[in-house]
Amino acid sequence: MEYCFVEFQVDDSKRFNALCKVFNEIKKDKDNDSWRNEEDWLIFFDCKALSHFWWPSEEEETEHFRRWFATPVEQRWIDPSLKHPWGFYSMFDAFQNGEYQLIACRMVSADRAKLEFEPFGHPYGGTGAIQALVESFDFVIIAEDDGIEYTKFNL
């Protein structure tokens, strides 16, 4: 069976194993619909992985949302000053609420892997959280099949 996926380049087996470990824990929680406390996820990420996420102070977050809602709707998604990385805890919230089943995180060749999932329907929440997880371990996303279309990314 062909699943939807995010495909990425793997150049470090230790980092890939660390990604697989956290993926399996997310999958376990999602399959059981029993989510651990947010802080419990921190043990699965080293400082390098955690540095990929947005950790705003309360003031920074308030200012971001003030600017977001003050910006005309058609400009919000294209204004680079409004872009920031995923928040660590919001990634887990997206996994929890995404309407899909996580299938596997596996190597598909000597230097490529796929994180596979099966949407329950559309819209299901998209691949943003999956991409944020993969990128936090320093892997470059090559392609995705989000269930609607296959997209290859420029390297």
Side-chain angles (χ1 to χ4, degrees):
M1 174 176 222
E2 290 288 319
Y3 293 110
C4 296
F5 61 83
V6 171
E7 184 176 7
F8 52 99
Q9 189 79 34
V10 175
D11 56 3
D12 184 328
S13 62
K14 284 184 178 181
R15 305 253 344 128
F16 179 71
N17 291 336
L19 169 62
C20 288
K21 185 175 181 179
V22 72
F23 169 82
N24 288 326
E25 293 299 313
I26 294 169
K27 179 176 173 25
K28 181 171 70 175
D29 283 16
K30 189 161 184 64
D31 288 348
N32 295 324
D33 195 26
S34 177
W35 290 85
R36 62 195 81 195
N37 294 326
E38 289 180 332
E39 299 78 25
D40 294 341
W41 291 108
L42 291 167
I43 64 169
F44 297 102
F45 295 80
D46 60 15
C47 290
K48 188 174 182 182
L50 290 172
S51 73
H52 287 265
F53 296 98
W54 187 44
W55 300 90
S57 66
E58 190 174 324
E59 295 80 24
E60 289 170 322
E61 189 171 38
T62 299
E63 176 60 14
H64 172 76
F65 285 118
R66 185 198 65 72
R67 290 189 58 244
W68 176 265
F69 290 110
T71 302
V73 173
E74 61 276 359
Q75 293 296 313
R76 288 179 187 165
W77 298 105
I78 59 174
D79 183 342
S81 72
L82 294 173
K83 294 182 191 241
H84 58 76
W86 271 77
F88 183 75
Y89 300 117
S90 64
M91 178 183 69
F92 289 99
D93 184 64
F95 274 115
Q96 184 175 356
N97 293 302
E99 295 182 12
Y100 50 82
Q101 179 181 11
L102 294 172
I103 304 298
C105 185
R106 63 185 182 87
M107 295 298 296
V108 294
S109 73
D111 65 348
R112 292 188 179 197
K114 286 184 179 179
L115 195 154
E116 299 169 312
F117 64 98
E118 183 175 17
F120 299 140
H122 293 279
Y124 59 84
T127 64
I130 294 170
Q131 290 187 28
L133 177 64
V134 168
E135 291 173 342
S136 74
F137 287 90
D138 297 317
F139 297 121
V140 175
I141 296 172
I142 299 168
E144 77 170 7
D145 181 339
D146 65 4
I148 297 173
E149 67 180 334
Y150 174 82
T151 305
K152 191 168 186 168
F153 297 97
N154 295 328
L155 298 178

